[in-house]
């Protein structure tokens, strides 16, 4: 399963707003198209939006007519700003954009476009390798058999391929382990019911869907061996921003002595911030809560709070699973040593 495809002159994105009912691709021919696709969540998931933004900058370079490095630098800076402004929480977006701008520094015209295409392809290829490495480390933490609870979608659809949290599950299955997955529905955007179930079913990995509010009772019944989630930004102290509802799961996991693992490539670490308090949490439109699809469930004009992410304090995290290995608390010193 693949969320994106680079054609050499456009970025094709699997439209995740329509899955699993309809499989359609959206073709982006400019960085503005890519920015809109990220904002509308046609492409979503921290590593995937980073890679998509990288290709957005390739499109900006390909469509630019200037051969003057200074003018080109300005063009790239404004494309980068537009892409960066699409979603504030996942640090992979700013990370990928920063890496692309550094790669293109001092270049213009065809040379810039070629260099940026090479860098975006490298980001995409590395993402899959990173997820496989992270998956191998994480799979060692998965008992056999294992009942795993996950939240949102941190799979192939949220990355360039293979996935982070679902990458760990895939690696465990590849090692011959017997795995059963419980997927939280993930209100309000339903990444769990629409995407995680779809992705795992395509791979014949047994998956059971539950609504978010059922997770506590499932743990209380002793039916969860571990929780694995992805991450959008991890602070220097190990606090984790991830899809809204992650924090609740972590509290529940602690209460029931269930290990709570976070799969996070190093590009998800933001060591410039000390704790999760500094993470900007995206708030999305009310209609995601008041409506399911086009059907309104709440009274008209209902006041709504719709944060797309929450922050799980590091004390609730059993370990961070990265492509360089598994990190245990205290995270601050462990991360410094790792990097
Ligand atoms: O709003 P989304 O769907 O982009 O949120 C996605 C998540 O929260 C994922 O868990 C996270 O980005 C990790 S994806 C490998």
């Amino acid at each position: 399963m693949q969320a994106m495809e680079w054609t050499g002159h456009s970025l094709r994105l699997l439209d995740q707003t329509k899955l699993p009912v309809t499989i359609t691709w959206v073709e982006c021919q400019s960085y503005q198209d890519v920015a809109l696709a990220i904002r509308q969540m046609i492409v979503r998931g921290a590593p995937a939006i980073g890679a998509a933004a990288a290709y957005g900058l390739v499109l900006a370079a390909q469509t630019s007519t200037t051969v003057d490095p200074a003018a080109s630098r300005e063009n790239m800076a404004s494309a980068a700003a537009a892409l960066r402004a699409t979603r504030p929480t996942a640090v992979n977006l700013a990370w990928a954009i920063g890496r692309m701008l550094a790669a293109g520094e001092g270049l213009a015209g065809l040379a810039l476009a070629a260099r940026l295409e090479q860098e975006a392809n490298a980001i995409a290829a590395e993402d899959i390798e990173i997820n496989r490495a992270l998956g191998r480390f994480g799979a060692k933490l998965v008992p056999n058999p294992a009942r795993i609870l996950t939240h949102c979608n941190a799979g192939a659809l949220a990355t360039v391929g293979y996935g982070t949290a679902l990458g760990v599950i895939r690696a465990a299955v590849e090692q011959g382990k017997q795995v059963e997955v419980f997927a939280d529905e993930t209100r309000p955007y339903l990444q769990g019911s629409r995407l995680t179930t779809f992705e795992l079913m395509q791979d014949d990995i047994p998956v059971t869907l539950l609504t978010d509010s059922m997770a506590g009772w499932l743990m209380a019944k002793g039916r969860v061996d571990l929780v694995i989630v992805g991450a959008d930004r991890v602070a220097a102290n190990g606090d984790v921003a991830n899809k809204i509802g992650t924090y609740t799961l972590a509290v529940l996991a602690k209460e029931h002595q269930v290990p709570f693992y976070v799969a996070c490539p190093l590009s998800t670490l933001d060591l410039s911030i000390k704790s999760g308090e500094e993470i900007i949490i995206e708030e999305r439109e009310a209609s995601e809560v008041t409506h399911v699809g086009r059907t309104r469930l709440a009274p008209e004009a209902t006041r709504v709070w719709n944060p797309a992410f929450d922050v799980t304090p590091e004390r609730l995290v059993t370990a961070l699973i990265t492509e360089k290995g598994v990190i245990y608390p205290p995270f601050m010193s462990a991360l410094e040593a790792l990097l």
Side-chain angles (χ1 to χ4, degrees):
M1 177 149 305
Q2 242 181 305
M4 69 187 76
E5 189 185 290
W6 173 244
T7 68
H9 49 81
S10 65
L11 180 66
R12 297 184 74 236
L13 296 170
L14 182 58
D15 187 347
Q16 299 192 35
T17 64
K18 304 233 162 54
L19 287 176
V21 178
T22 313
I23 297 180
T24 42
W25 290 79
V26 170
E27 185 141 3
C28 301
Q29 281 163 337
S30 65
Y31 79 82
Q32 291 94 335
D33 290 349
V34 176
L36 192 64
I38 296 173
R39 203 181 282 279
Q40 294 181 335
M41 290 175 72
I42 286 168
V43 60
R44 33 68 49 199
I49 61 175
Y55 283 116
L57 288 176
V58 181
L59 291 170
Q62 286 181 343
T63 49
S64 160
T65 48
T66 180
V67 288
D68 170 42
S72 181
R73 192 169 201 256
E74 256 178 52
N75 287 346
M76 295 311 293
S78 80
L83 287 161
R84 212 182 283 115
T86 52
R87 298 194 74 189
T89 305
V91 73
N92 306 60
L93 183 64
W95 168 84
I97 290 169
R99 183 167 155 178
M100 292 292 287
L101 292 180
E105 187 58 39
L107 300 174
L110 291 176
L112 175 67
R115 179 68 192 88
L116 291 190
E117 185 174 22
Q118 185 189 38
E119 196 66 14
N121 285 337
I123 288 174
E126 283 167 26
D127 183 65
I128 299 174
E129 284 314 305
I130 285 167
N131 294 339
R132 285 192 177 274
L134 181 158
R136 282 191 294 273
F137 282 118
K140 292 187 191 146
L141 303 169
V142 176
N144 188 20
R147 297 158 304 173
I148 305 175
L149 177 61
T150 190
H151 191 66
C152 192
N153 171 267
L157 289 167
T159 60
V160 182
Y162 202 72
T164 58
L166 297 194
V168 172
I169 291 170
R170 284 199 165 92
V173 170
E174 283 163 19
Q175 290 173 7
K177 290 183 178 169
Q178 203 191 315
V179 169
E180 186 190 359
V181 180
F182 289 99
D184 269 357
E185 174 188 45
T186 319
R187 278 279 288 159
Y189 210 75
L190 308 177
Q191 289 93 331
S193 59
R194 295 191 302 105
L195 308 176
T196 297
T197 50
F198 178 67
E199 191 179 318
L200 291 176
M201 286 164 81
Q202 298 269 320
D203 273 7
D204 284 330
I205 298 175
V207 55
T208 301
L209 175 66
L210 62 155
T211 70
D212 303 357
S213 55
M214 295 167 187
W217 186 233
L218 188 76
M219 289 189 211
K221 300 295 271 180
R223 292 179 62 187
V224 180
D225 298 311
L226 65 153
V227 178
I228 309 181
V229 296
D232 287 83
R233 194 182 289 246
V234 177
N237 70 343
D239 287 353
V240 173
N242 189 49
K243 180 53 53 196
I244 190 74
T246 302
Y247 168 61
T248 317
L249 271 193
V251 173
L252 287 168
K254 185 84 162 184
E255 169 70 16
H256 296 96
Q257 285 103 46
V258 172
F260 184 87
Y261 297 117
V262 176
C264 59
L266 296 179
S267 57
T268 307
L269 300 180
D270 184 355
L271 301 188
S272 74
I273 55 169
K274 286 202 189 83
S275 79
E277 273 180 41
E278 293 173 62
I279 299 175
I280 297 169
I281 299 295
E282 175 185 2
E283 294 201 11
R284 296 188 61 86
E285 54 268 36
S287 61
E288 288 181 0
V289 178
T290 54
H291 289 61
V292 170
R294 295 217 176 110
T295 308
R296 185 160 51 80
L297 303 177
E300 237 169 302
T302 304
R303 214 165 34 215
V304 167
W305 184 48
N306 184 18
F309 302 94
D310 57 28
V311 176
T312 298
E314 50 81 26
R315 65 174 187 281
L316 300 178
V317 177
T318 308
L320 301 172
I321 306 168
T322 78
E323 68 271 32
K324 291 257 172 85
V326 178
I327 302 170
Y328 293 92
F331 292 117
M332 181 98 72
S333 50
L335 285 172
E336 271 167 18
L338 185 87
L339 294 168

